[in-house]
Amino acid sequence: MASNICTRLEIAIFMVGFVCAKLVLPMCGNISEVFEYNWAPNHIISQGDQIKLTLDNVSGCGFESKKKYLFGQASVQIKLIEGDSAGTVTAFYMASEGPVHDELDFEFLGNVSGEPYLVQTNIYVNGTGNREQRHTLWFDPTLDFHTYSFFWNRHLIVYVFLVDGIPIRVFTNKEDKGLLFPRQQAMSIRGSVWNADDWATQGGKVKINWTNAPFFSTFRSFIIDARELLPETDDIMAQCGKLGRFWWDKPAFVVLNRHRSHQLKWARRKHLVYDYCKDKARFTELPRECIS
């Protein structure tokens, strides 16, 4: 049976939480038509609608969408490495190409058995990152699949990182204050698992226990609700159409509604354990985007 992935237009309160309407227009195809296994394909197992990524002492692995997108929403369900996952990182991210690339990251930092995973989010603008936040999760991400999503648009633009529909981070456009914002480069959708035991767990103090290998993270139920950009033209605004043409540009999507704002505050209060904007020891002067 062919492995399927659906690209759909979906406006739903449980995903983003701006409005209560829902429109679904599914367009389904074979997983291999949407993604390419571009790193260690012999470590990737395709099972039905799932992609299982393998890490062992030889290699990690990864995949990437064949198309690139700008504005909209991208989601996936992931079940993370079970047991002693110290030193491993499973990543779901979007990135453009080159040394001045833009990038959005979910990185799931493994831990020793019994200790919680951390999810690290990061944002690169024109090749510069160092915008990390780290959260604990309110569930065990190794027991079942959970949904992780990016949402982004272009007018009063925000990037929203969501876990099971709950926003854990918002990165706001401050171009009016002279700050760069990643909205000119289309990005592909990617996933990977890899050895990061030089930094991922307790600052690199805890290494991977290779006697537990191989390690597996499984991805499924991809939803891509985003504007595909074609390579034959560089006119970003022409391809994305007039402002308001797509659902993510509607006025209702300018800011989080009250309910989602309360969820964001809850996630920050209960689960945020590191914020680069609060790290005075790291910066002699806080980044400008950290200043309201």
Side-chain angles (χ1 to χ4, degrees), residues 154-228:
R154 59 172 169 158
H155 68 155
L156 223 170
I157 308 168
V158 297
Y159 277 102
V160 184
F161 295 76
L162 300 107
V163 176
D164 286 342
I166 295 175
I168 65 168
R169 181 175 186 177
V170 172
F171 186 76
T172 307
N173 181 0
K174 295 183 179 180
E175 289 179 308
D176 60 339
K177 297 182 179 180
L179 301 178
L180 294 175
F181 191 83
R183 66 166 183 162
Q184 296 297 326
Q185 301 184 53
M187 295 179 284
S188 58
I189 298 167
R190 312 183 189 196
S192 62
V193 60
W194 44 290
N195 174 3
D197 69 4
D198 58 332
W199 65 271
T201 305
Q202 299 180 30
K205 295 178 181 178
V206 182
K207 305 299 183 181
I208 291 179
N209 183 351
W210 291 111
T211 63
N212 295 322
F215 303 96
F216 300 103
S217 285
T218 306
F219 293 64
R220 74 175 188 187
S221 300
F222 294 88
I223 298 177
I224 304 170
D225 300 351
R227 176 60 174 168
E228 174 194 341

Side-chain angles (χ1 to χ4, degrees), residues 35-40 43-44 51-54 60-66 76-78 80 89-95 103-108 150 188-194 217-220 222:
F35 294 105
E36 57 185 357
Y37 304 152
N38 58 347
W39 174 28
H43 279 56
I44 299 176
I51 300 176
K52 180 177 286 189
L53 303 184
T54 306
C61 61
F63 62 86
E64 177 181 357
S65 65
K66 296 180 180 180
V76 68
Q77 292 184 356
I78 306 174
L80 296 175
V89 169
T90 299
F92 169 53
Y93 62 112
M94 301 187 67
E103 183 173 331
L104 308 175
D105 297 333
F106 276 107
E107 293 178 316
F108 302 92
F150 300 109
S188 58
I189 298 167
R190 312 183 189 196
S192 62
V193 60
W194 44 290
S217 285
T218 306
F219 293 64
R220 74 175 188 187
F222 294 88

Side-chain angles (χ1 to χ4, degrees), residues 19-165:
V19 294
C20 295
K22 183 176 182 180
L23 175 63
V24 179
L25 299 174
M27 295 170 288
C28 297
N30 191 287
I31 279 182
S32 62
E33 296 175 356
V34 180
F35 294 105
E36 57 185 357
Y37 304 152
N38 58 347
W39 174 28
N42 61 330
H43 279 56
I44 299 176
I45 303 169
S46 179
Q47 297 177 325
D49 68 343
Q50 300 182 357
I51 300 176
K52 180 177 286 189
L53 303 184
T54 306
L55 169 66
D56 58 24
N57 59 358
V58 176
S59 180
C61 61
F63 62 86
E64 177 181 357
S65 65
K66 296 180 180 180
K67 298 177 180 179
K68 298 182 186 300
Y69 306 91
L70 190 66
F71 311 132
Q73 183 169 288
S75 301
V76 68
Q77 292 184 356
I78 306 174
K79 184 178 180 183
L80 296 175
I81 296 168
E82 299 178 5
D84 185 353
S85 58
T88 69
V89 169
T90 299
F92 169 53
Y93 62 112
M94 301 187 67
S96 59
E97 306 292 341
V100 290
H101 72 290
D102 294 338
E103 183 173 331
L104 308 175
D105 297 333
F106 276 107
E107 293 178 316
F108 302 92
L109 313 184
N111 215 331
V112 296
S113 297
E115 295 297 321
Y117 260 87
L118 292 178
V119 54
Q120 175 171 282
T121 57
N122 198 2
I123 299 163
Y124 285 75
V125 184
N126 279 14
T128 301
N130 300 321
R131 296 178 175 89
E132 298 93 346
Q133 288 186 0
R134 290 185 179 184
H135 293 75
T136 58
L137 294 168
W138 49 96
F139 51 83
D140 185 340
T142 72
L143 297 180
D144 203 350
F145 288 90
H146 291 269
T147 303
Y148 306 93
S149 311
F150 300 109
F151 171 84
W152 72 113
N153 63 17
R154 59 172 169 158
H155 68 155
L156 223 170
I157 308 168
V158 297
Y159 277 102
V160 184
F161 295 76
L162 300 107
V163 176
D164 286 342

Side-chain angles (χ1 to χ4, degrees), residues 67 121 157 180 263 268-269 283 287 291:
K67 298 177 180 179
T121 57
I157 308 168
L180 294 175
Q263 288 182 318
R268 291 183 59 87
R269 184 176 68 253
F283 302 104
I291 303 172

